[in-house]
Amino acid sequence: MTRWIEQDRPVVFFDLETTGTNRTTDRIVEIALVRIDVNGSERTFRSLVNPGIPIPEEVSLIHGITNEMVVTAPKFQDITGELITLTDNADLAGFNIARFDIDLLIAEFKRADSEFKMEGRRI
């Protein structure tokens, strides 16, 4: 891996696919992340997520994830522990995360009776 910035703490690049574009009412249907530690080691995580609500057909046409694909997938609350571990003490990066993904991620953690802490993180 070629480093283009001086990295003093881990960084997690992540992306979400969702049931729509409303940050407070829509749900995650897929999450993928890559954690790069300061020593250059990488850990990845990817999972479909059962949102507990229907995925609108017009949204499935955009990201290709259907209701049938997520019916046996874990619910968000089932993966919160792993997500917290992988994002621990890490800065966050990704396309459009500051305007959408982070807010939706925080909302999903709240719905799962957990907390995604943002204090001290760089975006």
Side-chain angles (χ1 to χ4, degrees):
M1 177 180 102
T2 303
R3 291 214 176 144
W4 47 273
I5 59 170
E6 197 57 39
Q7 193 176 331
D8 61 347
R9 57 191 282 160
V11 62
V12 172
F13 295 85
F14 78 99
D15 185 46
L16 304 177
E17 298 301 338
T18 65
T19 59
T21 58
N22 186 310
R23 293 179 295 220
T24 57
T25 59
D26 280 309
R27 304 293 175 91
I28 295 171
V29 297
E30 182 179 41
I31 185 167
L33 53 83
V34 176
R35 178 188 173 106
I36 303 173
D37 287 304
V38 175
N39 66 6
S41 65
E42 296 182 15
R43 289 183 276 171
T44 62
F45 177 83
R46 179 176 177 253
S47 181
L48 290 173
V49 178
N50 182 332
I53 64 172
I55 304 169
E57 186 176 336
E58 62 272 14
V59 176
S60 289
L61 292 173
I62 294 168
H63 54 50
I65 301 168
T66 65
N67 290 302
E68 294 77 19
M69 293 169 67
V70 299
V71 71
T72 61
K75 294 184 185 286
F76 188 82
Q77 65 229 32
D78 298 330
I79 61 172
T80 57
E82 188 158 7
L83 295 176
I84 289 170
T85 298
L86 285 167
T87 58
D88 184 49
N89 193 37
D91 294 330
L92 303 174
F95 180 74
N96 202 32
I97 65 169
R99 291 186 296 206
F100 182 75
D101 293 34
I102 290 173
D103 289 341
L104 187 58
L105 190 63
I106 290 169
E108 286 280 28
F109 269 91
K110 284 181 183 173
R111 282 190 282 271
D113 292 323
S114 191
E115 182 181 13
F116 187 77
K117 296 180 182 176
M118 289 299 298
E119 297 82 27
R121 295 183 193 266
R122 293 178 288 202
I123 299 173

